[in-house]
Amino acid sequence: MRVAVLACLVAIGAVCGSAPAASADTRVLVKTRTYDITGTTGLALMKAMDRKGPKHGFMTHAIAQTGYTVDWDLDAGQDNGSCRLRRANGTLNLFYTFPRAASATTPALQKRWSRFFAGVRAHEETHGRLAKEMMRASERSISGLRIADDRSCYKTRREAQRRIRATYAAYEAKQIAFDAREHRDGGHVEHLITALIKP
């Protein structure tokens, strides 16, 4: 059985506008959805997740999934021949998908499921935490950005977007490294699955 706990999906964009006031603000919007699974054993629940979980690649399904999109509203304006970033408002849209055991289970299986689900949720929320850290780091990277001799503000906007993309790449590497640790042989994910399906 090939099951992955996470498929982390990401998109990033930037929009340049114009507004007079200087500000920096990031918002985090979280949406959670569930899909129902049924089964009277841990193995049956695992097989249901493998059939019904969110898509992970072409042939497999994930147990759970964290996805996010990032949008930036950037405003840059003239300041004595230089261009200054006056506003950098970011929005992080976080999307979680989790399984929900919808069938009656024995007390023993319910206890194993609760432990399993707590581990899955913690894994996904770590991806969410890294995404939130990415937003804060991106905001810090462009805060106070000012470029001399940039009357059109083209260089300033381009530099802001470059810094955001660089921060994104650094945090995407952290997401991948976290998954590699969690999914390695004998790692946390394997322990969660084994504890759920044991007789």
Side-chain angles (χ1 to χ4, degrees):
M1 183 187 315
R2 297 182 60 195
V3 180
V5 165
L6 171 79
C8 192
L9 310 171
V10 186
I12 188 166
V15 176
C16 294
S18 59
S23 66
D25 184 37
T26 56
R27 295 187 311 151
V28 178
L29 306 174
V30 180
K31 292 184 180 176
T32 301
R33 78 182 242 340
T34 60
Y35 65 95
D36 287 348
I37 56 168
T38 58
T40 57
T41 67
L43 183 58
L45 293 174
M46 283 302 306
K47 287 181 177 179
M49 286 182 274
D50 196 30
R51 285 192 314 272
K52 298 181 70 177
K55 290 285 284 211
H56 179 62
F58 293 110
M59 301 296 293
T60 61
H61 290 259
I63 292 169
Q65 186 177 73
T66 301
Y68 56 90
T69 63
V70 177
D71 295 301
W72 286 95
D73 178 12
L74 305 177
D75 171 56
Q78 283 295 313
D79 186 9
N80 293 326
S82 299
C83 185
R84 178 174 60 89
L85 192 65
R86 297 186 297 199
R87 186 183 68 234
N89 294 340
T91 301
L92 172 67
N93 296 285
L94 264 175
F95 309 96
Y96 293 115
T97 303
F98 292 110
R100 186 177 79 90
S103 54
T105 60
T106 64
L109 181 55
Q110 180 58 48
K111 187 174 182 180
R112 293 201 315 270
W113 171 258
S114 293
R115 282 197 302 263
F116 171 82
F117 185 77
V120 169
R121 179 177 287 280
H123 176 99
E124 301 304 329
E125 288 179 348
T126 298
H127 282 292
R129 178 179 54 76
L130 287 170
K132 292 173 189 176
E133 288 176 6
M134 179 189 73
M135 290 297 287
R136 290 191 294 269
S138 296
E139 185 177 331
R140 286 192 303 271
S141 77
I142 59 178
S143 178
L145 177 61
R146 182 188 194 103
I147 295 182
D149 193 24
D150 182 22
R151 296 191 177 279
S152 68
C153 286
Y154 173 75
K155 294 176 189 175
T156 304
R157 290 187 183 102
R158 188 176 60 186
E159 175 61 14
Q161 292 174 357
R162 186 198 67 76
R163 291 182 187 188
I164 289 169
R165 284 193 300 271
T167 304
Y168 162 76
Y171 275 85
E172 183 62 12
K174 291 183 181 187
Q175 298 277 17
I176 291 167
F178 170 67
D179 262 345
R181 289 192 305 273
E182 291 275 289
H183 288 275
R184 73 182 186 278
D185 288 344
H188 184 61
V189 171
E190 185 177 305
H191 284 234
L192 287 174
I193 293 171
T194 301
L196 176 64
I197 66 177
K198 70 179 181 182

